[in-house]
Amino acid sequence: MNDWLQSAVYYLIVFFISILLYFLFVLMIVHIKSSSIEKRKEAIRSKYHDVMDLYSLAGINTFDKHRIFRTPLGIMVLDEVMRHSSAERIQEIKHLISESSYDNYLRRLLRSGDPMTKIFTVKMVADLNLKQYGQMIFEMVLHETENSDLQYHALMALSQFGNEQALGKIFCNDRFTQKLTFRSIQEILKAYSGEKSRLYWILLDAPDLYVRRICIKRIGTEKIRRLGGFLTPYLNHSDYNIVIDTVRALGQLKYREALPEIEKLTEHFRWEVRAACVTALAQIDLKAEIGYITGGLFDEEWWVRRNAASAVIQYEPIKDIVSYVVRSDDRFAKEILAAAIRKKELLEYGGAR
């Protein structure tokens, strides 16, 4: 029995030592490979800087002489170089590429079957603002809808180019399969370099609710008041999230023409809409809308009362509102108003100190 146990322990030790040695070997291989790649990247990076320095000092373009630039690793390093370069340096890289035969190589990469190669190429093309590749990137977005990373970078490139026509065709196409998150689309539209008001106006007709909601939000955030009239129809939309976004945007725009519609929405069945309305009315005209705003203090939902109290304490004379609420029999309205007044006093006292 003891011999059997000793044999079992021996084989277990050998087994675990073998596993440990195997993982150590794998880690060594990975380390050696990573070190080799880093050394190659450093060598390519050095060559890029040598070529750029020569071009900057003597106007001599030797970009075509380095075949290593025309490799996936060369593309990766160029992307890294640009991310750490000044605007002036990036302009030099753009001239180097435009004055070389690199153009044909970039076109071949954009037709590559490797998604990562395409992503690196698209990012580089966008950073260099090489708008001549816009049509290829546009077709890439339409035909390669399964890869969300590629879709994101391709759309970002078109946005950085300010390509209104391409973005309009893509987002307004009801057959286009959009796999991006709400935040990703926000980043793409925020990066748009063209006339944003025109793009937002076009995309308000997009079949994707995400896209429409983001446009509505951007119109409010960027204070594009001339588009306020195009937002008001969305106050009657069946999706309450769009109604909320529209109310908030119109409040940010201080769009007085929407006041009658927003006043009606203070009785909406969704408390989120009522809460947004109270804030928007205060932004547009606190004095004229004080009746509707004060009414929010008596709402059954805490967030509506909270928004109403935050708005009401900016009204002068506040004592009139306090007297009205004190005379009421609503304990919650009294409590939320008292809390808002205390908070305001504390902030003012702290600021005075």
Side-chain angles (χ1 to χ4, degrees), residues 177-194:
T177 306
Q178 189 275 112
K179 291 184 175 294
L180 302 178
T181 63
F182 192 91
R183 183 175 178 179
S184 295
I185 301 173
Q186 271 192 316
E187 290 171 357
I188 288 165
L189 295 184
K190 189 176 180 180
Y192 183 69
S193 64

Side-chain angles (χ1 to χ4, degrees), residues 122-328:
V122 167
K123 283 173 63 182
M124 189 189 73
V125 164
D127 290 339
L128 289 170
N129 198 30
L130 300 175
K131 296 182 181 181
Q132 63 267 34
Y133 300 100
Q135 183 61 31
M136 291 186 73
I137 295 173
F138 168 67
E139 291 171 2
M140 187 187 296
V141 174
L142 289 181
H143 299 141
E144 301 191 35
T145 56
E146 294 307 310
N147 189 320
S148 59
D149 286 336
L150 181 56
Q151 190 177 87
Y152 170 79
H153 289 291
L155 284 167
M156 181 62 82
L158 293 172
S159 187
Q160 288 176 262
F161 291 162
N163 196 326
E164 175 191 292
Q165 188 177 20
L167 291 175
K169 284 182 178 178
I170 290 166
F171 284 122
C172 292
N173 183 351
D174 55 5
R175 288 174 294 186
F176 173 66
T177 306
Q178 189 275 112
K179 291 184 175 294
L180 302 178
T181 63
F182 192 91
R183 183 175 178 179
S184 295
I185 301 173
Q186 271 192 316
E187 290 171 357
I188 288 165
L189 295 184
K190 189 176 180 180
Y192 183 69
S193 64
E195 187 185 337
K196 289 189 175 182
S197 59
R198 267 187 59 86
L199 180 67
Y200 297 156
W201 173 66
I202 291 167
L203 297 187
L204 282 174
D205 289 328
D208 191 320
L209 286 181
Y210 267 13
V211 176
R212 274 188 277 174
R213 284 186 62 196
I214 290 164
C215 286
I216 291 168
K217 284 172 174 282
R218 300 306 313 166
I219 289 168
T221 301
E222 295 172 28
K223 304 290 193 296
I224 306 175
R225 197 177 188 283
R226 61 180 175 276
L227 293 181
F230 294 97
L231 298 188
T232 49
Y234 288 100
L235 291 172
N236 299 310
H237 200 276
S238 57
D239 187 311
Y240 79 92
N241 285 308
I242 284 194
V243 176
I244 293 169
D245 292 333
T246 304
V247 168
R248 288 173 177 164
L250 291 168
Q252 290 171 312
L253 297 175
K254 301 187 185 300
Y255 198 75
R256 296 186 62 84
E257 293 86 339
L259 281 174
E261 291 294 323
I262 297 175
E263 289 169 356
K264 291 177 188 174
L265 289 172
T266 56
E267 298 180 3
H268 198 276
F269 70 96
R270 296 290 309 207
W271 67 263
E272 298 94 334
V273 175
R274 300 197 302 273
C277 286
V278 167
T279 301
L281 291 173
Q283 288 174 313
I284 297 170
D285 193 335
L286 174 62
K287 189 172 183 179
E289 300 299 316
I290 193 62
Y292 286 97
I293 297 166
T294 303
L297 293 171
F298 302 94
D299 196 276
E300 61 184 15
E301 176 57 43
W302 182 86
W303 277 105
V304 182
R305 298 198 300 273
R306 181 255 188 197
N307 285 9
S310 297
V312 158
I313 58 172
Q314 307 303 323
Y315 180 80
E316 293 294 342
I318 185 64
K319 61 181 182 180
D320 293 345
I321 306 296
V322 172
S323 299
Y324 174 72
V325 174
V326 167
R327 289 196 302 272
S328 75

Side-chain angles (χ1 to χ4, degrees), residues 15-29:
F15 174 73
F16 284 119
I17 289 173
S18 300
I19 291 176
L20 181 62
L21 289 172
Y22 171 76
F23 280 112
L24 284 172
F25 177 74
V26 170
L27 285 172
M28 274 181 61
I29 295 296

Side-chain angles (χ1 to χ4, degrees), residues 61 63-65 70 95-108 133:
N61 188 345
F63 202 88
D64 280 336
K65 292 183 178 179
R70 291 169 170 76
H95 287 310
L96 280 166
I97 290 174
S98 63
E99 294 172 9
S100 68
S101 60
Y102 200 66
D103 177 75
N104 293 331
Y105 178 64
L106 288 177
R107 290 181 185 279
R108 195 163 78 246
Y133 300 100

